Amino acid sequence: MSDKLNIAVIMGSTREGRLCERVTDWLMGELAALNAFRLSLIDPKDLCEPSGGLSELVMQGIRSELGAADAFIVVTPEYNHSFPAPLKQLIDSISSEWHTKPVGFVSYGGVSGGLRAVEQLRQVFVELQSASVRDSVCFINAWEQFDSNGVLREQERPRRTLLKMLDQLSWWASALKQARHEDVRHRRLSQDGMALRLACQAG
Ligand SMILES: Cc1cc2nc3c(=O)[nH]c(=O)nc-3n(C[C@H](O)[C@H](O)[C@H](O)COP(=O)(O)O)c2cc1C
């Protein structure tokens, strides 16, 4: 197993002129600076075909990126007290790739900072057998937090919260990666054991 955990960052908005890009750029910059993770970026905008359907080719790539991930970070805005529909479409289009992995959140919005979207996402991810971590980064009135160059005005507090969230995410990601690895070995051993028992009975 490689030392570095694989984190897939998933963008939540596909809206024209989305703030999601600024928030995600900040997150990717912080993660890259830590030099502790292998990173991939999933953008649901890449999925949409002009017909409104999902591109199967892009979907295959996303499935394999999410399958290789040890943990997820979802960057989500709040739309009408929930999270955007394209994010739900992406989540629902994939199944086992989410299982037994942790998920953290970076949210943004108006007064709630996107926390109501996060609370709903936690429920969705339980159904997908993902473990959501307690701490999350949240930008209240997010459009005021970035300057005209897209740079975050106040860096310290979000960075501190991000580190706390990454601490929890890494713990769960390592523990579950190990458990998935041992589970495969255990199942293989059980199957070998079964084959042996069957051979003994036949003999
Ligand atoms: C359709 C829509 C609904 C929204 N509903 C909420 C809301 O319920 N609560 C909130 O705090 N902000 C709400 N907002 C503000 C967004 O969270 C904010 O504009 C954010 O930047 C949107 O993300 P995006 O620019 O990446 O698409 C809403 C924005 C839109 C477009």
Side-chain angles (χ1 to χ4, degrees), residues 9-30:
V9 173
I10 299 147
M11 297 174 82
S13 168
T14 57
R15 202 176 59 84
E16 203 59 45
R18 59 191 175 169
L19 194 65
C20 200
E21 299 198 357
R22 291 193 173 181
V23 182
T24 306
D25 282 352
W26 168 78
L27 174 65
M28 294 301 278
E30 293 291 315

Side-chain angles (χ1 to χ4, degrees), residues 12-23 75-82 84 108-116 141-143:
S13 168
T14 57
R15 202 176 59 84
E16 203 59 45
R18 59 191 175 169
L19 194 65
C20 200
E21 299 198 357
R22 291 193 173 181
V23 182
V75 182
T76 186
E78 181 168 309
Y79 283 4
N80 298 321
H81 293 202
S82 184
Y108 58 99
V111 284
S112 74
L115 284 178
R116 289 175 289 218
N141 293 335
W143 45 90

Side-chain angles (χ1 to χ4, degrees), residues 73-200:
I73 300 178
V74 178
V75 182
T76 186
E78 181 168 309
Y79 283 4
N80 298 321
H81 293 202
S82 184
F83 55 90
L87 177 58
K88 185 67 160 66
Q89 191 180 26
L90 170 66
I91 292 171
D92 291 346
S93 306
I94 286 162
S95 173
S96 61
E97 288 81 358
W98 300 116
H99 293 179
T100 61
K101 296 174 187 175
V103 55
F105 301 99
V106 173
S107 69
Y108 58 99
V111 284
S112 74
L115 284 178
R116 289 175 289 218
V118 169
E119 288 305 307
Q120 294 199 2
L121 279 165
R122 289 185 194 279
Q123 293 184 16
V124 170
F125 277 107
V126 167
E127 182 58 20
L128 291 163
Q129 302 184 52
S130 309
S132 77
V133 301
R134 176 182 180 271
D135 286 87
S136 67
V137 182
C138 137
F139 294 105
I140 295 170
N141 293 335
W143 45 90
E144 294 172 1
Q145 309 283 344
F146 294 85
D147 69 17
S148 54
N149 295 317
V151 177
L152 193 59
R153 292 180 202 277
E154 201 275 298
Q155 303 260 348
E156 203 197 307
R157 185 193 290 261
R159 184 171 288 154
R160 223 179 324 129
T161 321
L162 176 64
L163 289 177
K164 214 167 163 188
M165 189 257 268
L166 287 174
D167 207 32
Q168 296 162 16
L169 197 73
S170 302
W171 190 93
W172 280 102
S174 302
L176 292 175
K177 185 176 183 177
Q178 181 71 23
R180 286 195 305 277
H181 177 71
E182 283 176 3
D183 188 43
V184 169
R185 215 177 46 191
H186 172 73
R187 265 186 275 147
R188 206 171 40 234
L189 285 176
S190 309
Q191 279 161 10
D192 289 350
M194 175 70 83
L196 198 63
R197 276 198 298 280
L198 288 175
C200 288

